[in-house]
Amino acid sequence: MATLLIFLPLILLISLPVSISQTSSNNAGDCNGIFITYVYTSGFPIPPNVSTSNSNNQAYNFRSNLTILNNSPDELKSWRVFVGFQHRELLVSASHAVLADGTTLPGDVGNGTVFAGFPTTDLKSAIQTAGDVNQMQARIELVGTQYGVASPAVPLPSSISLANDGFLCSPSTSQGDRTQVCCLKDSNAKSNITIHEEIQPRQEGDLTIMFDVTSSSESNYWAQVTISNNDNTSRLDNWKLSWEWMRDEFIYSMRGAYPTVVDTGDCIFGKQGGYYKGMDFSKALNCKKKPTIIDLPLEKTNDTTLGMVPFCCRNGTILPPFMDASKSKSAFVMQVYKMSPDLNISAIHPPQNWKINGTYSPGYVCGPPVRVSSSLFPNPAGLSSDTAAVASWQVICNISSSTLKKPKCCVSFSAFFNDSVVPCNTCACGCSNANPSNVCSASEPALLLPPEALLVPFDNRTEMAKDFNKRRDLPNPLPCGDNCGVSINWHLFSDFRGGWTARITLFNWGDTNIVDWFAAVQLDKAIQGFEKGYSFNGTIMPDTNNTIFMQGFSGLNYLLAERRGDNPRKDPPVPGTQQSVISFTKKTTPGIDVGAGDGFPSKVYFNGEECSLPVILPSGSNRQVPLASSAFSLLLTMLVLMVLQLSLWLEI
């Protein structure tokens, strides 16, 4: 009996199930499942260098190899492997794999990450390939940065494991420069590794883009993209939206918008055509990695094939919410097809690198898409309940503060106490050297003008300017023009004991009508005295205490394009114009000095663009008159009224 007790442990060890001995295997040949190894190959310290007392914050380059070998009898479909990085790693590159959560590289993986095969997603078995290791194995070369682990220590992960369901992995083991694990097939096993993104709170920005997945299947999903303008002084016209697909997705169909180019060549001759062999790609829309999307015209709003999407089909115009909240957003839907390894119902990855711009819009800088709580949509059956999106991501875009962008509009100043106009600045909207024969100076200040010159294109003002300034020495060459498509004249119309008035005139020198125009005028000291606009709808913006928001009343929301003169051989082109008088009281602004500068705006916006302002004010500001205006005011008003009447007659 004593002899039996001595040999009992050995007998029990020999009688243990074979599966247990395999799960603790240290050699690939002993693993009849999926054998995974992580091998650290090299590394070195990288700048900046830190003191020895702060060695935990010293950065090091690292290079490693991750190998997945299929020793099981069956093919491994859409492999996924978890690597438990633990040294604040920043992964810079990974060959033949992508991060399963859609994160682009470089990316923070310090809390561990899941890799997915790309472009090869499946690993065949030895039985299927006669032992061809090249088809049985995936080898990923990793390059990145880790912190605090200096040679001879080795920055190994805390653990590695297969993230596919149906496999049971033993605890991984580490020795020297490697970590390894063997995972055996177990139909009842479920992976405890999740790759779901953390839901973040929604943020505010000048413009937001929502990417809402409304339905999903294994091969494709439908998404609604909604662009919302949240800034009360900006707008977009003819918006163009672009992004970058990261996982070989392609757009099959759309409603509410359309790609600028319909092109499926990249699918037909690419891996998409190889996978979707039965698909008619002539019906698909776009297979570009970086598509550009535009809005549809108004007449497509109720088109059952292309339209029927709320907030779609407005020629790419998105207005400020303060002007019209119902027109401050744009939306479209699209059907997106996916590629392996994402061929399951829950594998959805939003595109990255979003960009948006327009012909008359500020410059925007957009951040990455962030997973947020699912958006709610009205029930399509008209019930009182809401329908939640499958998943939602939010992209925040803010107006760029770049000073390199040239204005698209400019302002001139004038007043009842001076017969001259301080014109728009020289080259206010830029100067071009496209016509070298038309020599002018981009540095000389603009010449003062007579009031009637405001209604004449710059090229036709030369003789007027010379005659008006004949008592002074004129520069040679003369100053260049402002080159702005829209100019605005701010005129002090009157200044009396109880109040004052200003007149604002808009000039459109472009070749297209401007629909639903708006302007915003910032008056730092006079805003509290604002009473009303007469021909424009003027309102103090609620989120400011110094800005008047103006737009045309119904029927006056069009700023017509420049048109030819009555006699084109003799008469210069005539701009489209709109004009209104604005009244102010002095009861709420005691001590205001209107003529000395308090009655002139410090900033002017037109359709969201900040306009160039003159650097000087009209002189002779000591005069005050009772509700009367000079001959200048009467002349310009009569001229504008004549142009307006003529424009209306031509429209009729």
Side-chain angles (χ1 to χ4, degrees):
M1 180 64 70
T3 304
L4 180 61
L5 291 174
I6 293 173
F7 287 99
L8 183 58
L10 181 59
I11 295 170
L12 291 173
L13 179 62
I14 294 172
S15 64
L16 283 173
V18 175
S19 61
I20 296 179
S21 66
Q22 287 177 343
T23 59
S24 60
S25 169
N26 289 324
N27 299 308
D30 296 332
C31 177
N32 288 331
I34 310 301
F35 189 69
I36 306 169
T37 59
Y38 179 98
V39 180
Y40 172 80
T41 59
S42 65
F44 53 86
I46 57 177
N49 297 316
V50 300
S51 63
T52 54
S53 61
N54 194 28
S55 59
N56 287 338
N57 291 319
Q58 176 63 56
Y60 296 86
N61 162 281
F62 77 87
R63 293 175 182 268
S64 303
N65 292 327
L66 177 66
T67 305
I68 303 96
L69 176 64
N70 182 11
N71 280 342
S72 72
D74 303 311
E75 183 177 10
L76 176 61
K77 292 283 191 179
S78 300
W79 68 261
R80 298 181 180 224
V81 169
F82 171 77
V83 177
F85 291 110
Q86 58 178 337
H87 304 292
R88 291 182 286 164
E89 286 87 350
L90 179 75
L91 190 63
V92 176
S93 66
S95 65
H96 311 299
V98 295
L99 301 188
D101 64 0
T103 300
T104 57
L105 300 181
D108 182 2
V109 296
N111 292 321
T113 192
V114 176
F115 291 95
F118 181 81
T120 302
T121 61
D122 306 332
L123 299 179
K124 295 187 179 299
S125 68
I127 297 172
Q128 294 172 306
T129 63
D132 183 356
V133 176
N134 292 327
Q135 299 183 62
M136 299 163 54
Q137 175 180 279
R139 186 172 182 271
I140 297 91
E141 297 178 354
L142 305 175
V143 179
T145 300
Q146 55 90 7
Y147 286 88
V149 183
S151 179
V154 178
L156 293 176
S158 60
S159 64
I160 57 175
S161 62
L162 191 67
N164 297 61
D165 289 337
F167 288 87
L168 184 63
C169 299
S170 64
S172 56
T173 60
S174 299
Q175 184 174 2
D177 60 359
R178 72 175 51 218
T179 300
Q180 59 191 31
V181 69
C182 178
C183 302
L184 297 179
K185 197 168 185 66
D186 184 339
S187 59
N188 296 320
K190 293 288 185 181
S191 173
N192 61 358
I193 298 169
T194 60
I195 57 173
H196 299 297
E197 298 169 85
E198 184 179 351
I199 304 298
Q200 301 291 334
R202 299 192 178 211
Q203 303 294 321
E204 295 182 354
D206 295 327
L207 182 140
T208 57
I209 303 171
M210 289 301 303
F211 186 84
D212 295 304
V213 176
T214 55
S215 65
S216 177
S217 65
E218 289 188 352
S219 62
N220 67 89
Y221 62 86
W222 279 91
Q224 175 167 312
V225 178
T226 306
I227 309 165
S228 300
N229 180 18
N230 305 314
D231 186 76
N232 283 324
T233 58
S234 65
R235 65 183 280 163
L236 287 95
D237 289 287
N238 302 309
W239 59 257
K240 290 185 178 181
L241 179 67
S242 64
W243 59 73
E244 183 176 1
W245 295 115
M246 307 305 293
R247 304 173 76 86
D248 294 314
E249 300 96 334
F250 62 94
I251 302 172
Y252 188 81
S253 62
M254 298 184 77
R255 289 188 294 113
Y258 220 66
T260 54
V261 177
V262 176
D263 185 359
T264 58
D266 290 352
C267 283
I268 294 172
F269 299 105
K271 61 187 70 175
Q272 296 92 338
Y275 184 82
Y276 294 103
K277 294 180 179 179
M279 179 177 288
D280 183 0
F281 280 97
S282 67
K283 296 181 180 179
L285 287 182
N286 190 280
C287 294
K288 293 295 184 184
K289 185 177 178 67
K290 298 179 180 180
T292 299
I293 310 302
I294 57 175
D295 196 11
L296 293 177
L298 189 62
E299 55 266 24
K300 297 296 182 182
T301 301
N302 296 318
D303 189 301
T304 55
T305 302
L306 296 175
M308 303 297 290
V309 177
F311 309 112
C312 87
C313 315
R314 293 171 175 167
N315 287 311
T317 297
I318 303 179
L319 299 178
F322 184 69
M323 183 176 182
D324 190 337
S326 68
K327 296 181 179 180
S328 66
K329 59 179 62 177
S330 186
F332 60 90
V333 297
M334 60 180 176
Q335 185 182 20
V336 180
Y337 270 81
K338 304 180 290 184
M339 288 289 292
S340 184
D342 299 327
L343 297 175
N344 64 74
I345 194 170
S346 62
I348 302 169
H349 303 283
Q352 304 288 323
N353 301 327
W354 292 74
K355 296 179 181 178
I356 188 167
N357 56 50
T359 55
Y360 223 114
S361 66
Y364 290 95
V365 176
C366 299
V370 176
R371 182 76 180 270
V372 295
S373 59
S374 294
S375 299
L376 298 177
F377 297 94
N379 190 289
L383 302 178
S384 58
S385 62
D386 292 326
T387 301
V390 175
S392 298
W393 287 264
Q394 183 188 47
V395 178
I396 297 295
C397 303
N398 287 311
I399 297 172
S400 171
S401 58
S402 173
T403 58
L404 300 178
K405 186 178 179 181
K406 288 290 185 180
K408 295 180 181 178
C409 53
C410 64
V411 178
S412 61
F413 286 156
S414 54
F416 63 85
F417 48 74
N418 194 310
D419 290 335
S420 62
V421 175
V422 179
C424 291
N425 294 325
T426 303
C427 299
C429 298
C431 276
S432 172
N433 296 323
N435 186 8
S437 62
N438 186 13
V439 179
C440 62
S441 172
S443 58
E444 285 289 336
L447 298 177
L448 298 178
L449 296 174
E452 61 270 19
L454 291 178
L455 280 169
V456 179
F458 179 82
D459 291 341
N460 301 92
R461 294 178 185 174
T462 304
E463 294 305 318
M464 290 183 179
K466 285 182 177 179
D467 184 64
F468 193 75
N469 293 274
K470 60 185 177 182
R471 295 184 180 181
R472 53 164 290 192
D473 294 331
L474 298 179
N476 187 17
L478 292 174
C480 294
D482 54 71
N483 297 314
C484 295
V486 172
S487 61
I488 300 173
N489 174 248
W490 180 268
H491 176 73
L492 288 187
F493 198 69
S494 66
D495 183 12
F496 50 98
R497 180 174 299 177
W500 59 284
T501 58
R503 185 191 60 227
I504 183 171
T505 308
L506 313 177
F507 302 91
N508 181 9
W509 304 99
D511 55 5
T512 57
N513 298 337
I514 301 175
V515 185
D516 290 327
W517 62 266
F518 70 89
V521 177
Q522 181 174 313
L523 295 163
D524 295 327
K525 296 183 179 180
I527 197 70
Q528 299 303 322
F530 171 72
E531 290 183 322
K532 65 178 296 185
Y534 290 87
S535 300
F536 297 165
N537 182 9
T539 310
I540 297 178
M541 296 182 64
D543 53 348
T544 70
N545 58 1
N546 60 1
T547 303
I548 303 172
F549 187 94
M550 291 176 282
Q551 58 182 311
F553 288 116
S554 178
L556 296 175
N557 60 329
Y558 278 76
L559 184 56
L560 298 178
E562 182 185 73
R563 63 171 184 81
R564 294 190 303 171
D566 295 336
N567 187 346
R569 293 185 177 182
K570 295 182 179 180
D571 299 333
V574 178
T577 59
Q578 290 281 6
Q579 185 182 85
S580 179
V581 172
I582 307 169
S583 63
F584 297 82
T585 178
K586 292 183 178 179
K587 293 180 180 179
T588 54
T589 55
I592 188 172
D593 195 339
V594 176
D598 294 345
F600 291 94
S602 56
K603 286 185 179 181
V604 175
Y605 297 87
F606 181 79
N607 276 1
E609 294 276 350
E610 184 173 352
C611 303
S612 169
L613 294 181
V615 295
I616 61 172
L617 299 176
S619 60
S621 59
N622 291 327
R623 290 183 55 187
Q624 269 195 347
V625 297
L627 285 181
S629 59
S630 66
F632 164 81
S633 302
L634 293 173
L635 178 60
L636 185 57
T637 302
M638 291 175 62
L639 287 171
V640 170
L641 288 174
M642 291 172 60
V643 170
L644 282 171
Q645 290 176 349
L646 184 58
S647 298
L648 292 173
W649 180 81
L650 289 172
E651 288 292 306
I652 296 173

